[in-house]
């Protein structure tokens, strides 16, 4: 089991001024929790999928001026990276925690992934009612999953536009997140990813 209890201090990291100061706080306050979650959920995804998954904690190494507005740990079946593959993320912004399955613009096969998802829209109707979708991994904004028009629109953009992206999962508001015990958070995370695994299977063509 993993013991991760989120606090206001975790979310407040993203309000600290200056790249160096924010990165120092991110490394000391949030990353140890991402490390613990990384070890636990790499094993979880490996067991669930039958493939060895690896955890990748965001380093934000390319930033030289602007501090990051969010951070995350990602999971993919590739040791050297995750951006070119469908992957899972657990991450934070100042306002919420996110748990998503994602295809971002670096994925070379994203057009065929989008086609598979467009052909399986009924699968999205089986997801929990509080799930969200997004077309931009750099934005905290999201759309309720129940908006079928927006779902199809995002998947078409994923297919046809070079910078198109697609994320689906849960946003947990800060106020709710800090009131969860570590056991409650872990159960919620596992329930979220259990629901997302059939969508992931469609992304990678396993269905």
């Amino acid at each position: 089991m993993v013991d991760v209890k989120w606090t206001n201090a975790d979310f407040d990291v993203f309000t600290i001024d200056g790249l160096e100061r924010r990165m120092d706080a991110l490394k000391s306050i949030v990353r140890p929790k991402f490390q613990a979650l990384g070890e636990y959920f790499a094993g979880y995804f490996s067991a669930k999928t039958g493939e060895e998954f690896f955890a990748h904690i965001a380093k934000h190494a390319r930033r030289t001026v602007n501090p990051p507005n969010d951070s995350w740990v990602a999971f993919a079946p590739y040791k050297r990276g995750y951006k070119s593959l469908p992957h899972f993320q657990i991450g934070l912004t100042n306002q919420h925690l996110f748990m998503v399955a994602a295809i971002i613009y670096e994925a070379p096969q994203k057009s065929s992934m989008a086609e598979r998802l467009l052909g399986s829209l009924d699968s999205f109707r089986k997801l929990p009612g509080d799930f969200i979708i997004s077309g931009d991994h750099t934005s905290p904004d999201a759309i309720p999953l129940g908006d079928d028009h927006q779902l199809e629109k995002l998947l078409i953009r994923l297919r046809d536009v070079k910078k198109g992206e697609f994320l689906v999962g849960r946003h947990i508001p800060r106020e709710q997140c800090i009131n969860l015990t570590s056991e409650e958070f872990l159960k919620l995370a596992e329930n979220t990813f259990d629901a997302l695994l059939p969508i992931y299977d469609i992304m990678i063509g396993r269905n």
Side-chain angles (χ1 to χ4, degrees):
M1 297 294 288
V2 63
D3 184 11
V4 170
K5 174 73 175 77
W6 299 104
T7 70
N8 277 314
D10 299 311
F11 294 91
D12 286 343
V13 162
F14 300 101
T15 66
I16 294 171
D17 290 334
L19 175 61
E20 186 173 345
R21 290 182 63 234
R22 190 175 302 184
M23 286 302 302
D24 286 345
L26 182 58
K27 291 173 185 176
S28 63
I29 297 171
V30 176
R31 279 196 186 162
K33 297 183 178 182
F34 284 164
Q35 185 71 41
L37 291 169
E39 293 171 5
Y40 180 84
F41 278 101
Y44 161 92
F45 288 118
S46 297
K48 291 282 187 176
T49 66
E51 296 182 86
E52 186 175 8
F53 267 65
F54 301 89
H56 302 272
I57 297 174
K59 297 294 192 293
H60 309 290
R62 296 178 184 175
R63 289 183 176 271
T64 57
V65 178
N66 296 319
N69 293 319
D70 58 2
S71 196
W72 59 87
V73 55
F75 305 90
Y78 184 46
K79 193 171 186 177
R80 296 182 63 183
Y82 64 93
K83 294 181 179 181
S84 64
L85 301 169
H87 57 272
F88 299 93
Q89 292 183 8
I90 301 172
L92 294 181
T93 72
N94 178 38
Q95 294 299 323
H96 64 258
L97 179 141
F98 54 90
M99 298 178 283
V100 296
I103 300 169
I104 59 177
Y105 71 90
E106 286 96 334
Q109 303 297 321
K110 69 186 191 74
S111 292
S112 57
M113 297 173 199
E115 285 285 9
R116 287 194 287 271
L117 292 169
L118 282 164
S120 305
L121 292 177
D122 283 348
S123 298
F124 288 94
R125 299 187 179 98
K126 300 174 184 176
L127 296 175
D130 63 339
F131 269 33
I132 54 83
I133 51 176
S134 169
D136 182 355
H137 82 278
T138 68
S139 172
D141 298 332
I143 301 163
L145 175 59
D147 189 331
D148 289 347
H149 173 72
Q150 289 297 328
L151 171 62
E152 190 168 0
K153 184 177 176 181
L154 285 180
L155 292 173
I156 290 171
R157 187 174 190 277
L158 176 70
R159 182 190 66 192
D160 297 343
V161 178
K162 185 176 181 180
K163 290 290 187 181
E165 299 185 334
F166 181 71
L167 298 85
V168 56
R170 269 194 174 107
H171 284 184
I172 309 301
R174 169 183 178 144
E175 295 75 16
Q176 177 184 346
C177 200
I178 63 175
N179 285 314
L180 295 173
T181 66
S182 60
E183 294 83 2
E184 288 170 338
F185 169 70
L186 183 61
K187 183 177 180 181
L188 181 59
E190 289 184 343
N191 287 344
T192 300
F193 292 130
D194 283 348
L196 287 172
L197 280 164
I199 301 297
Y200 175 79
D201 285 343
I202 295 167
M203 289 175 173
I204 65 172
R206 184 147 48 202
N207 277 8

